[in-house]
């Protein structure tokens, strides 16, 4: 999809997609390198836990609003189905830690020979996604004439 939209080829517009792709590459390589079923289960459980948290937040939002449109109800049903797919949500834990592996993405990348991907792609894309000053300065402001 991104290849068909040249505007997405810039860091300004494509950073969220680029970041997600590089992060996925690092995580997959990390999981394969460790070849550990317990680590994979932590990865899966971490993601399901975050879906459960989203489901709970949506339920609270709908309760507070007193109503929900069809789209929101359908989305809540979809999320609920994923949360409950392998086990009842009552048994799903929510981990609010930094990530499933207990180490940061930079270390994960370095361990799997993807340090350059982290430094040259993931980190700059993260700056844009998080609205850091450098990204705002480069993409929002235009220098004035002296």
């Amino acid at each position: 999809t991104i290849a068909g939209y040249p505007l997405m080829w810039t860091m300004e517009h494509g950073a969220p997609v680029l970041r997600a792709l590089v992060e996925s590459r690092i995580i997959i390589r990390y999981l394969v390198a460790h070849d550990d079923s317990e680590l994979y289960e932590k990865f899966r459980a971490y993601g399901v836990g975050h879906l459960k948290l989203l489901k709970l937040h949506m339920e609270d939002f709908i309760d507070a609003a007193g109503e929900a449109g069809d789209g929101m109800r359908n989305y809540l049903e979809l999320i609920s189905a994923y949360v409950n797919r392998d086990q009842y949500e009552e048994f799903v834990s929510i981990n609010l830690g930094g990530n499933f592996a207990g180490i940061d993405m930079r270390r994960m990348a370095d361990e799997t020979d993807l340090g350059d991907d982290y430094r040259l792609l993931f980190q700059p894309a993260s700056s844009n996604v998080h609205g850091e000053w450098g990204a705002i300065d480069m993409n929002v402001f235009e220098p004035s004439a002296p």
Side-chain angles (χ1 to χ4, degrees):
T1 299
I2 211 170
Y5 297 96
L7 283 176
M8 296 295 287
W9 301 351
T10 66
M11 190 62 82
E12 178 182 8
H13 299 293
V17 176
L18 177 63
R19 185 183 188 278
L21 289 171
V22 174
E23 184 170 17
S24 295
R25 181 173 191 225
I26 292 168
I27 289 170
I28 290 168
R29 175 123 11 130
Y30 184 83
L31 288 169
V32 168
H34 283 80
D35 192 23
D36 180 350
S37 60
E38 284 185 32
L39 185 63
Y40 174 78
E41 180 53 32
K42 284 182 182 180
F43 169 69
R44 193 199 63 74
Y46 184 82
V48 174
H50 280 229
L51 282 177
K52 177 181 176 179
L53 184 59
L54 174 59
K55 177 188 173 291
L56 295 172
H57 286 316
M58 288 187 67
E59 289 171 343
D60 288 345
F61 180 81
I62 291 168
D63 288 346
E67 63 178 275
D70 288 342
M72 185 170 278
R73 278 193 295 275
N74 291 341
Y75 187 54
L76 181 57
E77 285 178 26
L78 176 70
I79 292 170
S80 183
Y82 277 101
V83 170
N84 288 282
R85 181 164 50 181
D86 295 325
Q87 63 185 345
Y88 291 117
E89 69 183 84
E90 290 80 12
F91 299 106
V92 173
S93 297
I94 299 171
N95 178 347
L96 299 177
N99 76 16
F100 71 95
I103 66 170
D104 62 50
M105 190 61 56
R106 180 187 56 78
R107 286 190 190 120
M108 213 180 273
D110 285 339
E111 273 190 36
T112 57
D113 295 323
L114 293 174
D116 286 341
D117 288 28
Y118 176 87
R119 288 183 287 282
L120 300 174
L121 300 169
F122 180 86
Q123 194 285 321
S126 291
S127 293
N128 279 45
V129 169
H130 294 295
E132 292 179 6
W133 174 253
I136 292 171
D137 195 22
M138 290 174 65
N139 298 309
V140 176
F141 298 123
E142 289 191 30
S144 58

